Amino acid sequence: MTLSEIAAGLEVTARQRDRGVAVADDTETPLVDRLSGHAADLPCTPAATATLVDAYSAGRSVGDAASEAGVTPMTAAKTLHRCGVAGICPLAPTRRGVVRDWLDGRIGRSDAVALTGGDEADFALATYVETHDAVSAVADAVDAHLAGSAPLGGALGDPDGIR
């Protein structure tokens, strides 16, 4: 049996996500400075946002990160969402659909809250997530910060050690 016979009838059913070119960040600019130009797009100050990102990425809960940054847990969750952090919405995709139905005026608010589980805070956060996208420049800055901001030369090592 040849390879072409084995591959006969195979088809690609999934698409690969194009993630673009890998970037090495060599600016050494602190995250708070990178965020300062986008302060109007964030629910809290750039300093509090940087603290949230560092605490949350270190494995702390949203509540613990909020406490460390001096903001409420709701503000912390909103901020992390605007920073492009995945998994902040407390509702499953089906329940998020109920929030979208409410936002589109297809169902009443009290029905929507009941269908999503009846928790006002979760409903409010899900509504925020559905009505506010991540800020791409902020998400890029956070991604670069989390990936490490070592200069490119440091990431590749000492060129003399390669020889």
Side-chain angles (χ1 to χ4, degrees), residues 57-156:
S57 66
R60 292 194 176 91
S61 69
V62 172
D64 289 345
S67 185
E68 189 170 324
V71 297
T72 67
M74 180 64 81
T75 300
K78 289 176 178 181
T79 303
L80 290 170
H81 168 70
R82 296 288 279 177
C83 289
V85 175
I88 296 300
C89 186
L91 301 182
T94 303
R95 292 183 181 194
R96 287 177 69 178
V98 172
V99 173
R100 286 190 293 275
D101 287 344
W102 171 69
L103 289 168
D104 292 340
R106 290 192 284 268
I107 61 175
R109 186 179 190 288
S110 59
D111 291 336
V113 172
L115 287 170
T116 58
D119 186 302
E120 290 283 343
D122 287 350
F123 188 81
L125 180 55
T127 300
Y128 185 86
V129 168
E130 291 298 324
T131 58
H132 295 79
D133 292 328
V135 180
S136 60
V138 171
D140 290 345
V142 168
D143 285 345
H145 175 72
L146 294 177
S149 57
L152 183 59
L156 298 176

Side-chain angles (χ1 to χ4, degrees), residues 23-29 34 144-145 147-159:
V23 177
D25 181 10
D26 62 350
T27 62
E28 294 187 23
T29 304
R34 294 179 193 181
H145 175 72
S149 57
L152 183 59
L156 298 176
D158 182 13

